Amino acid sequence: MRKTNSRVSSASQSTASAALAATQRQAWMGFAPPEGIRGTQPSSSRSRSADLVKTKQDSGVGIDVPTHALNKEDILHQRSDEERELNPERVNLNRQDLRNCIYLPNEYRLRLLNYQSNFIARIENLDNLTNLVFLDFYNNSIHKLEGLDRLANLRVLMLGRNKIQRIQGLDKLLKLDVLDIHSNQISKIENLSHLAHLRVLNLEDNTISCMERLPSASLAELNLKRNQIAKVTGVQTLSHLKRLILSHNHLSAFENMVDLLLSPSLLELSMEQNPITTDQYYRLILANRIKSLKYLDGKRISEEEKRTATRIAKRETERRKESERVLTLAEERKKAIENIQGRWEREMEAERRKFRGFEDYVCVGDKDDSDKDKRTLTRKGLGPRVDEKGAGGLMFTDSGQMFMYGVDSLALGEKADLSTVTSLSYQYIDMGKLAGSFSRLKRGTDLELITFSNNNINSLKKIDPLSALCLPRPFSVVIENNAITESPFFFHYALFRLTRFSNQNFVKTLNGVAVTPEMAQEAQHRFSSLRIGSTVDGDAASKLAFTEACDDQAGTSASEKVTASSFVDALMKDVVETNRRRHEFDRLLPEVLQACLTE
């Protein structure tokens, strides 16, 4: 007895759940069919004949239908005149194991037809039902939308839980108000633009990835739950849209929801189970941006949330303005640097054109260019001809780094606070102009790195101003984008100038190479006979700074100076001649090989 009661209770619960699901589905659509068309579970006590079953409607009107698969010869069934008069507008054929649509003659007054939960694969036999306003094919096996052209008065079409792959065949349904095609196999929204009166569209549980070709502006409710949407588009054109369901999709960023934020009339929005909902400000941002919104994810937006959203929006506006200011400043800096670079390149090109030849010059040729006219040739001891007033300059600091571009930046840097600067970069400034600025780096700085880039250092003599660089603590030096770095003497000569006063400077790294005491001793051994010299083309301030750096160190004798100078000049000429021969070889080699191949 207990088992029997349990089975009865389970069956009752199943029946109640099914009825509740049907009620909820109808409620979502905003349409409650009349009593005579609501789907109900067939009673277990219903008597059946061997071939036909009498399906009672709530009004007491019945229609005979076969329980087996129907063929063409037995699809025509008629109600009696008495039955038709009792309920002329409704026919309920749900859960009758139908495989085909039954032909219903003499039903010109029929307005509501229910084919729920059958096995119908094709929509047919409806041409005579021209006054039909409600048609329900929920939970069948329909593959294609067709057979609806004569239903010009249809207002509600229910096609949920079928196998439809494409929206089509609705051209004549100009009065359609509600369209439910949920739980099908539709991949895109199409062929709906002509439905000028469509208010409710349910496309839940399909495979739609793009919100395009949405129906007319009359749409008030749109359900796209459980699809594959990653970006919301076109919603701002739906001026009457009140309710939008986008739960269980792939929305992950507010940048992909701009059109949604511009929706003019939205009252309810559902976004559950989207990645964007994990953002801590998700509700506040939507509440602030969509002014008309009243409900979000089923919860009413409180006044406190609105006030909080307004405060956060204000802070966000300030942050955005600051970001725009930073971006604008960065763009201005970029343009200024490009202008300074352009002037620098023109000045260097003018210098290369002025000085030609090899005698008493240092040649630094491009490894990949054998054209003699394109080599960088700079006269020893002479700086570039730079118009300081027209060269321009830019100086700025960023996170403890100071950047100086162009010779005019040296004047800007005289008043700059270096107490918090740990990295200093000189770019597009001739090395001969820098000795004067080194005097400011002696005390009160925490500099750890000094970078020289594009400073016209194309001879060893151009490195001499480094002797004026004296810092109170160990530091690193990087010299890049300067021709002299290709010289075999560069590293030790630069180290010699940087560590000339070993009790004042200690260089940790030079061009990324860790400097050891042995390296410093080797540099001193190679070049210690050279006089420190002066910054030949420097101004009075540069010479004064250089003199201060010397700190009363004794100079070398005249004979030592002559000997060292002759030795270095001989080495430089040897380098020049070797470089010239290498370029000449590189130029002639392809011609010789071509000649050999031709012969």
Side-chain angles (χ1 to χ4, degrees), residues 31 126 157 168 279-280 292 304 336 363 389 512 517 521 541 548-549 590:
F31 185 93
L126 301 176
L157 180 58
Q168 59 183 353
D279 190 303
Q280 61 177 328
S292 59
E304 179 60 28
C363 172
K389 294 182 180 180
Q521 291 175 5
E548 292 175 354

Side-chain angles (χ1 to χ4, degrees), residues 451-467:
T451 301
F452 300 92
S453 178
N454 291 287
N455 310 102
N456 195 27
I457 308 176
N458 48 25
S459 69
L460 294 180
K461 196 170 187 65
K462 292 290 187 69
I463 300 178
D464 288 352
L466 292 179
S467 296

Side-chain angles (χ1 to χ4, degrees), residues 40-54:
T40 59
Q41 292 283 356
S43 173
S44 60
S45 62
R46 177 176 298 165
S47 61
R48 296 176 180 267
S49 65
D51 298 316
L52 298 177
V53 58
K54 192 75 169 181

Side-chain angles (χ1 to χ4, degrees), residues 30 177 182 211 233 342 357 394 427 446 526 537 574:
D177 183 72
H182 77 275
M211 293 179 62
T233 57
L394 172 67
Q427 298 191 49
D446 295 323
R526 290 189 181 187
D537 290 313
D574 188 37

Side-chain angles (χ1 to χ4, degrees), residues 252-265:
S252 59
F254 289 106
E255 289 78 5
N256 296 330
M257 299 166 55
V258 174
D259 287 1
L260 174 61
L261 301 179
L262 298 176
S263 181
S265 58

Side-chain angles (χ1 to χ4, degrees), residues 296-493:
L296 179 58
D297 297 337
K299 298 180 181 179
R300 187 174 183 85
I301 298 175
S302 66
E303 293 299 323
E304 179 60 28
E305 280 185 304
K306 292 181 179 179
R307 288 192 292 269
T308 304
T310 301
R311 290 196 298 269
I312 292 178
K314 184 177 180 180
R315 291 200 299 268
E316 179 66 17
T317 301
E318 294 174 354
R319 186 196 65 79
R320 185 170 60 253
K321 289 181 179 179
E322 177 63 17
S323 298
E324 292 174 353
R325 186 191 68 81
V326 171
L327 290 175
T328 301
L329 181 60
E331 187 65 24
E332 292 176 351
R333 287 175 178 173
K334 181 180 178 181
K335 291 181 179 179
I337 292 172
E338 290 175 351
N339 291 335
I340 293 171
Q341 179 183 3
R343 293 190 184 100
W344 174 264
E345 291 175 351
R346 289 192 294 271
E347 291 163 359
M348 294 301 101
E349 178 63 23
E351 182 177 339
R352 286 194 293 270
R353 290 177 179 177
K354 182 175 181 180
F355 300 109
R356 303 291 183 184
F358 289 96
E359 185 178 357
D360 201 27
Y361 290 82
V362 174
C363 172
V364 182
D366 190 333
K367 293 182 179 180
D368 300 323
D369 193 344
S370 60
D371 187 357
K372 179 179 177 181
D373 291 337
K374 293 183 179 180
R375 297 173 183 168
T376 302
L377 300 173
T378 305
R379 185 177 180 181
K380 289 168 50 180
L382 293 180
R385 308 287 184 174
V386 180
D387 181 5
E388 293 186 16
K389 294 182 180 180
L394 172 67
M395 184 203 73
F396 63 90
T397 58
D398 184 10
S399 301
Q401 303 178 75
M402 177 176 285
F403 300 89
M404 304 184 75
Y405 295 87
V407 67
D408 286 354
S409 65
L410 298 179
L412 300 174
E414 291 180 358
K415 299 179 180 180
D417 181 13
L418 301 176
S419 60
T420 59
V421 177
T422 58
S423 174
L424 180 59
S425 175
Y426 295 103
Q427 298 191 49
Y428 306 115
I429 306 174
D430 191 274
M431 193 65 170
K433 305 294 182 180
L434 291 176
S437 66
F438 291 159
S439 61
R440 300 185 58 248
L441 308 180
K442 281 188 175 184
R443 302 179 182 85
T445 61
D446 295 323
L447 278 176
E448 299 176 357
L449 173 65
I450 302 179
T451 301
F452 300 92
S453 178
N454 291 287
N455 310 102
N456 195 27
I457 308 176
N458 48 25
S459 69
L460 294 180
K461 196 170 187 65
K462 292 290 187 69
I463 300 178
D464 288 352
L466 292 179
S467 296
L469 186 59
C470 300
L471 299 182
R473 54 181 55 82
F475 63 99
S476 298
V477 175
V478 174
I479 301 176
E480 59 186 5
N481 298 320
N482 283 284
I484 194 57
T485 57
E486 301 293 329
S487 170
F489 304 102
F490 159 71
F491 184 85
H492 285 92
Y493 190 77

Side-chain angles (χ1 to χ4, degrees), residues 70 102 109 299 428 500 514 566:
L70 296 179
I102 296 175
R109 290 187 295 175
K299 298 180 181 179
Y428 306 115
R500 181 65 181 86
S566 300

Side-chain angles (χ1 to χ4, degrees), residues 224-249:
L224 290 168
K225 182 179 179 180
R226 297 187 185 279
N227 278 277
Q228 301 171 9
I229 297 170
K231 184 175 183 179
V232 180
T233 57
V235 178
Q236 78 278 15
T237 63
L238 305 178
S239 58
H240 292 88
L241 188 65
K242 305 297 182 183
R243 188 181 188 196
L244 177 61
I245 302 175
L246 292 169
S247 308
H248 296 269
N249 277 283

